[in-house]
Structures are given as structure tokens and as C-alpha cells.
Amino acid sequence: MSQPDPPADPGRYHRTEWGLRVPEDAFHRKLHHIAPAALSESTAQSAGMRRMEAISGTTVGSRQLWMGQAHVGAATSSANHHHGHSETAIFVVSGHPEFVFLDIEEDEPREVRIVTNPGDYIYVPPFVPHREENPDPEQEAVAVIARTTQEAIVVNLPDLRWTGPVLTNSEDVRRGEAES
């Protein structure tokens, strides 16, 4: 069965010796496999947890996606933080991590704790301050994280309150450091 030709755009596609029409840019040509040993800890971090990058602009050239693992040690809490303009999806692999945020939709703000189990998913909207906790005294909690930016944005905060515009990317951080 032959493939339908993509929309005509000379210079963006070429035909292989087998007659396949493929994109010119390398980004659209192949799948990428990242084995556990290839995960990188060279990514944004928060105290109390260890993030490991798998899919990113650095590792595979992704443009609008970051994916990796988060490990929260036994009896540990992460720092309060948010992920800037990035949406975050979390899949709990092991352990029973708890996700804590400040519910501001009531008359008085109150801290809310979501207790999870392996197989659960959590969605973290952009700019929502939160923290991860692992109350288990012996077992590390592990989660897979996906974000809508290829950069792992982590803005550490003193508490769970959102206090206005904050630094959300490396450009803003450099600008903030220059103004200090």
C-alpha cells in the first residue's frame, strides 16, 4: 500500500531510494529510545526530591514536551514549588506520594493533601504552588512526569501561596540575578 503524499512543499520532503517520501529535518525522522541508565539528573531540582530527565530538548530535541522521573526519598518532602507556564501530568509508579497544595476557592485558604497509590495520575495546572511528600519511613516514591515545555521549569517557593509574577525560565532567572 502506498503512502499518500504530504502537502506539496518543495524542499521540505525528499524521496528515499525505496520511494518513501520523508521530511528533510532529522527531528521528524525517527523514534528515540531512552533506557533507564541514560536518564540525566542535569535538570531543575527541588530540595527533597531527585528529578531525572528522559525526554527533553536536550536529550531528543523535543520542542514542547519534557518527561522524566521524580524520586522522593522515604520520609521526605520536596520544597514548595511550581512549574511556571507548564502543565504537568504525574503518574505514580511506586510508593504512596502525597501532593499538597493551597485550596484558595473556599472562604479561607486551606492546605489540601492528595494521597496517591501506584497507578494514580495527578494533574498540576500552570503556576500552582505545591509540594510532594513521602510519609513512608522506608520506601522511596517514584513517579513519571510529563510537562508541556521541553525545559523542566521548577520555581522553588518559601510557601504554598502564589504571590504574583515569578521567575519561570532560565531567561527570567538570568534577568533576575542581574537585577539583584
Side-chain angles (χ1 to χ4, degrees), residues 30-53:
K30 66 179 186 174
L31 300 182
H32 296 266
H33 172 236
I34 296 84
L39 297 178
S40 168
E41 290 188 42
S42 297
T43 188
Q45 302 289 337
S46 295
M49 68 187 309
R50 184 171 49 102
R51 291 186 185 89
M52 299 187 330
E53 179 177 66

Side-chain angles (χ1 to χ4, degrees), residues 55-57 62-67 83-88 146-153 168:
I55 310 294
S56 70
S62 64
R63 297 176 185 162
Q64 297 179 24
L65 176 68
W66 185 97
M67 190 172 190
H83 303 290
H85 64 276
S86 183
E87 293 179 82
T88 302
R147 296 205 185 103
T148 57
T149 56
Q150 64 81 34
E151 179 181 3
I153 299 168
T168 61

Side-chain angles (χ1 to χ4, degrees), residues 62-81:
S62 64
R63 297 176 185 162
Q64 297 179 24
L65 176 68
W66 185 97
M67 190 172 190
Q69 292 181 2
H71 294 247
V72 183
T76 303
S77 294
S78 74
N80 298 308
H81 62 278

